[in-house]
Amino acid sequence: MRVSIIGTGYVGLVTGTVLSDIGHSVTCLDINEEKIALLQQGKSPIYEPGLDELLEKNIQEHRLAFTTNVTQAFKDAQFIFIAVGTPQGDDGSANLSFIEQAAKDIAMNVTDDCIVIVKSTVPVGTNDRVEQILRENGLPHIQFNVVSNPEFLREGHAIRDTFYGDRIVIGAELDEVSEEVAVLFQPLNIPIVKTNRRSAEMIKYAANAFLAVKISYINQISNLCEKVGADIHSVADGIGMDSRIGRAFLNAGLGYGGSCFPKDTEALSFLAREHDVSMSIVESAIDANHKQRQIFIQKVLHHFDGNVQGKRIAVLGLAFKPNTDDMRDAPSIDIIRTLVHYGAEVTVFDPVVKVTSMLENISITYASSLEQCVEQAEAALLVTEWPEFVHADWSELTSRMKHSTIFDGRYVLHNSQKNIEPKIITHIN
Ligand code: UGA
């Protein structure tokens, strides 16, 4: 089938690549010429394990193409995916200007009936708005059907999540349209939830907010564990083995960051406020998540009796989580900014993020290796649980440090580093 995708961010790029890999003819459109030029050479502008190989293969086999040309992108398209960003506005609401522009571009350039599939995370009712824009701006004889198909892939696991997702949600107003979209995804053999558009839109927000609540819940439990002498890891295992709860997303630590949970929890709260419905559980999760970073920072400051002036501190990990180069709302930013503000000499190392514009005006040193980062440090802060940090030779690393104090912000070293004797201070135990 012929598929077009608007937007080559994480969602659009991975969806397009996987759809081409299962046999569809896919053209991806983006306004960013630099990005498209890179993609045409089979190179991914984002770090995502396995993506480069899949891109190259499907471009070579002529199932996957990239363009900045709207007419070329929509030529003969049976399905057009909208996978553009919905950034957070100042009031917490989702900014829909890219979605609206994409709908206008489709309306003004498509010359045949087609199904428009909204993959971006959008507030309930947005698919109706997309349909309205298509009708108002498109040629009168063209039939547009709009379908909500929210995305559940995680950065860093995007390819696997798309091939082996738990479910595909198809929100459509007509059964026959829903069926056509199901056929598109059929080769993936993933269970499909068919519903209406508004429910599909809500499923995405409700899922992300639930996971965010789960994380904040386990973080608050971990803070209490610390006070009462319980071990959060055993507690998480103990409750996670209850199949009604599940162990996933019960890893306590610095809390959630990235481009999804922070934005989507705010957008859901905004939507609830608009409709005068209490969303206090999600609001509390947001608040707890902000506080979790502060608790960690306070712990570091307390260790230095409130004075980090001139102290050499190593920060391990910049990306908001392992296996990505994404720095959006990464805990590392708040932690580094605060420490530098109080006069610490901060050296950072991340296996993938070598330098970041997010810390542009902050005076820090970028180390070129983990060893260099911890050299003569008075404390090391493990902020992102990259496997190379978790499984590093910490006896060797601590021998390079001035004081072998490690703040384990992800509670990952206690198991893998049983044989060493540094003073490991997690903020959760
Ligand atoms: C999240 C969802 O997991 C995806 O299903 C969804 O498609 C995506 O948002 C989206 O809306 O596009 P993502 O943000 O890529 O995916 O990353 P996750 O692996 O879900 O992690 C989110 C945050 O939670 C990270 O900061 C991570 O460190 C944190 N986390 C996760 C914890 O603190 N503890 C955990 O146990 C799990």
Side-chain angles (χ1 to χ4, degrees), residues 312 314 316 347 367 369-380 394 396-398 400-402:
R312 186 149 153 43
L316 312 183
T347 304
S369 67
L370 179 53
E371 290 73 17
Q372 194 189 28
C373 187
V374 299
E375 201 71 54
Q376 286 306 304
E378 297 196 37
W394 277 96
E396 201 275 326
L397 287 176
T398 47
R400 294 168 177 267
M401 295 171 67
K402 193 165 171 188

Side-chain angles (χ1 to χ4, degrees), residues 202-216:
M202 182 55 96
I203 286 171
K204 172 63 192 244
Y205 279 109
N208 270 6
F210 186 88
L211 294 170
V213 167
K214 209 174 170 188
I215 295 169
S216 280

Side-chain angles (χ1 to χ4, degrees), residues 64-319:
L64 181 60
F66 295 92
T67 182
T68 52
N69 183 310
V70 180
T71 325
Q72 198 184 329
F74 298 153
K75 195 170 177 300
D76 303 327
Q78 297 160 275
F79 300 91
I80 302 179
F81 282 84
I82 299 181
V84 295
T86 51
Q88 190 177 316
D90 291 339
D91 56 2
S93 66
N95 175 344
L96 299 177
S97 55
F98 298 123
I99 297 272
E100 291 178 355
Q101 188 55 51
K104 279 184 195 146
D105 287 345
I106 295 171
M108 310 226 281
N109 290 284
V110 160
T111 50
D112 262 316
D113 293 355
C114 69
I115 295 179
V116 174
I117 305 176
V118 179
K119 245 209 181 303
S120 312
T121 302
V122 289
V124 178
T126 305
N127 276 257
D128 295 356
R129 171 85 186 113
V130 167
E131 188 173 81
Q132 189 193 3
I133 295 173
L134 292 170
R135 293 233 167 97
E136 283 172 4
N137 296 276
L139 295 170
H141 66 277
I142 294 187
Q143 198 191 342
F144 291 109
N145 281 296
V146 178
V147 171
S148 167
N149 170 230
E151 184 49 61
F152 301 102
L153 63 80
R154 290 163 301 167
E155 291 179 20
H157 301 266
I159 302 289
R160 199 201 159 279
D161 285 353
T162 310
F163 274 113
Y164 306 103
D166 292 332
R167 76 308 204 184
I168 289 171
V169 173
I170 299 176
E173 300 308 299
L174 297 171
D175 287 347
E176 58 268 31
V177 174
S178 179
E179 202 41 55
E180 278 190 66
V181 179
V183 171
L184 182 72
F185 289 118
Q186 205 167 30
L188 291 172
N189 208 15
I190 294 173
I192 289 179
V193 177
K194 287 183 187 161
T195 181
N196 61 28
R197 290 198 300 231
R198 285 178 177 243
S199 308
E201 291 168 326
M202 182 55 96
I203 286 171
K204 172 63 192 244
Y205 279 109
N208 270 6
F210 186 88
L211 294 170
V213 167
K214 209 174 170 188
I215 295 169
S216 280
Y217 175 75
I218 201 66
N219 281 338
Q220 290 200 328
I221 293 290
S222 78
N223 297 338
L224 185 57
C225 282
E226 178 183 352
K227 299 282 182 202
V228 300
D231 168 39
I232 183 58
H233 209 265
S234 315
V235 172
D237 286 346
I239 62 172
M241 283 172 80
D242 185 328
S243 60
R244 293 170 302 174
I245 297 174
R247 179 64 177 82
F249 282 71
L250 285 183
N251 294 324
L254 278 161
Y256 59 81
S259 64
C260 307
F261 288 175
K263 167 175 81 72
D264 295 348
T265 45
E266 291 287 357
L268 185 62
S269 302
F270 180 86
L271 186 70
R273 276 198 301 280
E274 262 191 332
H275 292 272
D276 207 13
V277 169
S278 166
M279 199 50 68
S280 56
I281 291 179
V282 175
E283 280 161 10
S284 291
I286 296 171
D287 183 50
N289 196 57
H290 287 308
K291 288 194 176 125
Q292 201 64 8
R293 296 178 188 187
Q294 295 312 317
I295 291 171
F296 184 77
I297 293 168
Q298 287 310 319
K299 198 137 222 180
V300 177
L301 291 174
H302 180 75
H303 172 77
F304 289 104
D305 294 327
N307 183 8
V308 287
Q309 183 73 38
K311 303 284 181 200
R312 186 149 153 43
I313 297 179
V315 172
L316 312 183
L318 290 171

Side-chain angles (χ1 to χ4, degrees), residues 17-18 21 50-59 159 163:
T17 307
V18 170
D21 202 62
L51 182 57
D52 276 326
E53 294 84 330
L54 220 55
L55 270 176
E56 209 180 317
K57 174 185 160 210
N58 287 290
I59 292 172
I159 302 289
F163 274 113

